[in-house]
Amino acid sequence: MPILHLIPPSLDVADELLRFETDNRAFFEARINSRPPGYYLPEGVRAAIALAEREATEDKGYQFLVRNEAGELVGRVNLAGVKRGHFQMCDLGYRIAESAGGKGYASEAVRLVLAKAFEELGLVRVEANARVGNGGSVKVLLRNGFRQFGHSLRSFELGGVWHDRLHFERHAA
């Protein structure tokens, strides 16, 4: 199992985060919808970091950068759309650099962020989605104890093509 560290994004890593996003832009955009063009500018990444910090302060979402044992930025993982009250849940998202694929980073990053969700944040349910055909993401979710609870037809458009999505959930132990 790889040794990874999750750290919240901060302005002191804005340049590194911009490089990570621009270096992996084509890889990510082949799998998920693209970010607005302004995101890929220094001020766009700084604004995104400020938003992430504000959402964490307001208990609305938590973003983390994923660093490997050597300290390299290899991915991102987030807990978005936190709902408290009668729900105590959120949505999981993650992305791993193309060069870091196949090393177990996604599975370990998800394991680490689930510990934060359930132990530190007191959430009881985390949901995730995977596009049908994205076997890698499905494996990551299943390895981390998620179970599929739904399948929506033509619910995600990418590059002009509509895709089905699989819906997963994981509950605190």
Side-chain angles (χ1 to χ4, degrees):
M1 182 172 353
I3 296 173
L4 299 178
H5 305 281
L6 302 184
I7 61 162
S10 60
L11 290 176
D12 62 327
V13 297
D15 292 340
E16 182 183 18
L17 182 55
L18 179 59
R19 275 192 309 279
F20 170 82
E21 292 290 351
T22 55
D23 289 352
N24 291 285
R25 184 177 183 177
F27 176 68
F28 293 149
E29 289 180 0
R31 288 153 183 78
I32 56 175
N33 284 310
S34 61
R35 297 180 186 272
Y39 178 85
Y40 297 97
L41 301 171
E43 58 273 14
V45 167
R46 284 194 298 273
I49 290 170
L51 176 61
E53 290 174 333
R54 188 168 53 254
E55 286 182 346
T57 299
E58 296 171 356
D59 193 34
K60 292 181 179 177
Y62 298 88
Q63 295 185 28
F64 300 95
L65 304 180
V66 180
R67 292 195 181 279
N68 66 12
E69 192 171 14
E72 301 165 318
L73 178 57
V74 295
R76 299 181 68 169
V77 61
N78 61 63
L79 302 169
V82 173
K83 295 177 186 169
R84 294 294 183 174
H86 302 289
F87 298 100
Q88 301 299 329
M89 56 90 58
C90 70
D91 296 311
L92 169 72
Y94 56 90
R95 55 177 59 193
I96 300 296
E98 182 175 21
S99 64
K103 298 178 181 176
Y105 291 161
S107 292
E108 179 62 5
V110 168
R111 185 188 72 76
L112 291 171
V113 84
L114 287 173
K116 287 186 179 293
F118 297 138
E119 296 165 19
E120 292 176 29
L121 300 173
L123 297 170
V124 298
R125 176 186 165 101
V126 176
E127 292 186 4
N129 296 301
R131 180 171 42 93
V132 169
N134 187 346
S137 277
V138 170
K139 286 179 186 175
V140 165
L141 296 172
L142 294 176
R143 281 185 195 125
N144 277 285
F146 282 82
R147 71 167 191 86
Q148 185 179 337
F149 72 89
H151 180 150
S152 56
L153 304 176
R154 295 180 40 87
S155 64
F156 170 70
E157 185 266 329
L158 176 64
V161 176
W162 285 93
H163 298 273
D164 292 2
R165 283 188 309 162
L166 304 175
H167 305 278
F168 294 85
E169 65 182 355
R170 165 77 194 273
H171 292 265

